[in-house]
Amino acid sequence: QKEVEQNSGPLSVPEGAIASLNCTYSDRGSQSFFWYRQYSGKSPELIMFIYSNGDKEDGRFTAQLNKASQYVSLLIRDSQPSDSATYLCAVNPGFQKLVFGTGTRLLVSP
Amino acid sequence: SAVISQKPSRDICQRGTSLTIQCQVDSQVTMMFWYRQQPGQSLTLIATANQGSEATYESGFVIDKFPISRPNLTFSTLTVSNLSPEDSSIYLCSTLPPGQGFNYGYTFGSGTRLTVV
C-alpha cells in the first residue's frame, strides 16, 4: 500500500462547479497535511495546510481532515479554468519530512 | 516566505557524466531538501541537507550517486553522478520558510529538468 494515495484523474469539472479532490494516507501517526498545486512544467506551490480534524477554509479552497478515516480532501468552489493543474497531497509522517501522493490532474472547462 | 533560485533550469547530459544543481535561498534556513520527480510521478525525497553536517539520505538513494554540499545557511548543491537515462527527471530543492514552523510547508525552487542521452 502506498503511503499517500490519490486518484490520478483527470477530474473534469465545468467552470463554476465545485471540484473535490481526495487523498488517503497510511501512517496513523501523521501530524500535518498539505495541498500543493503544480502547473505543468512548474514547481509545486502550497495552497493549504491542515493539522486538526475538521474543515479549514481559505477563499475558494476548503481542506477537510478526518484522522480517524485517514482521509484528507480539498474542495475548490467556483472552479476556474486557471485552476486546471495537478494537485498534490502531502503528509508529514514526522521527522520534518513530507511524503507526496502521485497527484490528481484537474481540468476545468470553460 | 523564502525565495529559492535554482539553476540550471534544464540540461541535456551525456550518459556517464555528472550534473551539479545549485540552489540559493534569499534568507538563512536550517534545512534544505532535495526531491526527484520522475516523468508522470510524484515527488520523492532524495536527502535532507543541514549546514555543517552530512546529508541524510532516504532509502534507495546513496551519497556516491547523489553527493550534496551545504557550505552555508543559504546555499546547497546536488550532484547527480554517472548519469544514465533513468536519471532523467526533474530535480527540486526546497526549504522551510524561515521563522515559521514545519506546519507551514515547504517552499520549492523552480526545478531542474534533466535529460540524459
Side-chain angles (χ1 to χ4, degrees), chain A residues 31-32 34 36 38 40-46 49 51 88-89 92 95-103, chain B residues 10 31 33 35 37 40-45 48 58 90 92 96 102-111 113:
Chain A
Q31 302 169 10
S32 49
F34 304 85
Y36 283 84
Q38 187 174 29
S40 181
K42 302 293 186 182
S43 59
E45 54 180 326
L46 182 67
F49 65 90
Y51 46 85
L88 300 168
C89 173
N92 169 23
F95 309 107
Q96 293 193 325
K97 58 187 286 188
L98 286 184
V99 179
F100 284 83
T102 54
Chain B
R10 59 178 63 228
M31 304 174 75
F33 306 89
Y35 280 85
Q37 188 172 26
Q41 304 294 316
S42 189
L43 282 74
T44 301
L45 182 63
T48 301
E58 296 298 307
I90 297 172
L92 294 142
L96 298 172
F102 179 74
N103 283 338
Y104 289 85
Y106 290 7
T107 298
F108 284 87
S110 54
R113 183 181 294 272

Side-chain angles (χ1 to χ4, degrees), chain B residues 3 10-11 32 38 40 42 45 53 57-59 79 102 112:
Chain B
V3 175
R10 59 178 63 228
D11 207 341
M32 292 186 72
Q38 294 177 303
S42 189
L45 182 63
S53 63
Y57 288 83
E58 296 298 307
S59 175
T79 299
F102 179 74
T112 296

Side-chain angles (χ1 to χ4, degrees), chain A:
Chain A
Q1 181 188 7
K2 293 182 180 177
E3 292 185 71
V4 180
E5 295 206 46
Q6 297 180 256
N7 188 316
S8 60
L11 173 65
S12 296
V13 300
E15 183 175 358
I18 296 176
S20 178
L21 304 161
N22 304 315
C23 171
T24 58
Y25 60 95
S26 60
D27 188 339
R28 281 196 171 274
S30 297
Q31 302 169 10
S32 49
F33 308 85
F34 304 85
W35 283 99
Y36 283 84
R37 177 176 62 198
Q38 187 174 29
Y39 291 111
S40 181
K42 302 293 186 182
S43 59
E45 54 180 326
L46 182 67
I47 297 175
M48 292 192 70
F49 65 90
I50 185 169
Y51 46 85
S52 299
N53 275 326
D55 295 359
K56 179 181 179 182
E57 186 174 322
D58 184 1
R60 296 187 296 114
F61 299 97
T62 299
Q64 299 175 317
L65 174 61
N66 184 325
K67 289 186 178 180
S69 301
Q70 295 175 243
Y71 178 87
V72 181
S73 66
L74 179 70
L75 300 178
I76 306 175
R77 290 181 299 281
D78 189 23
S79 295
Q80 301 297 309
S82 58
D83 294 325
S84 298
T86 296
Y87 289 79
L88 300 168
C89 173
V91 174
N92 169 23
F95 309 107
Q96 293 193 325
K97 58 187 286 188
L98 286 184
V99 179
F100 284 83
T102 54
T104 298
R105 192 156 68 98
L106 173 66
L107 298 176
V108 181
S109 54

